Amino acid sequence: MTKIVLTELTCNETEDNAGSDECELRIWSDANFQAHRKNMNNGDGWDLNIPLEFETRVKIQLWDLDNPGFPRYDDHDRLGTVIIRPNQPEGSGTFNEDGADYILNWVAV
């Protein structure tokens, strides 16, 4: 069993042109799911401290939960996906789709 802790998510550039992103981290640790939300703006850091145990993989998606229809035609945006495998107990991953730039860090425990 691999044990890691998601330590921090850093926002270098939001997806939204005006204001903060309404971020949601969606985390699948093998078959277990959890989600965490926080509004983030350029330069913000989010101290996560989320412990995870897994055998196969961790899949993490970052979403910007926009209000569909306001502003017009701005639906939820998937900003990227990071996959962590047992042979990567420490590292970082990026979410950089749709013009966003976020960095996720994790460490082994």
Side-chain angles (χ1 to χ4, degrees):
M1 179 84 48
T2 301
K3 297 178 183 181
I4 64 169
V5 174
L6 302 181
T7 58
E8 184 177 28
L9 180 68
T10 303
C11 175
N12 296 315
E13 185 74 32
T14 62
E15 183 274 333
D16 286 340
N17 292 329
S20 62
D21 284 345
E22 298 76 25
C23 293
E24 181 176 76
L25 272 179
R26 298 177 183 175
I27 304 165
W28 293 265
S29 179
D30 291 330
N32 300 312
F33 176 77
Q34 57 183 295
H36 302 269
R37 291 184 180 178
K38 181 178 177 116
N39 289 355
M40 296 189 73
N41 216 326
N42 295 341
D44 286 351
W46 180 3
D47 291 327
L48 298 169
N49 194 30
I50 301 171
L52 301 170
E53 293 184 5
F54 64 101
E55 291 185 23
T56 307
R57 72 174 189 166
V58 173
K59 175 182 171 182
I60 304 166
Q61 291 183 337
L62 180 62
W63 287 79
D64 177 24
L65 301 182
D66 293 314
N67 184 3
F70 184 83
R72 195 171 185 140
Y73 308 114
D74 193 10
D75 293 333
H76 298 329
D77 300 300
R78 184 174 55 98
L79 305 181
T81 303
V82 169
I83 304 291
I84 304 170
R85 303 209 182 271
N87 64 347
Q88 305 168 268
E90 297 195 10
S92 64
T94 59
F95 302 102
N96 56 14
E97 295 177 20
D98 240 9
D101 182 13
Y102 286 82
I103 299 173
L104 174 71
N105 294 300
W106 66 89
V107 296
V109 288

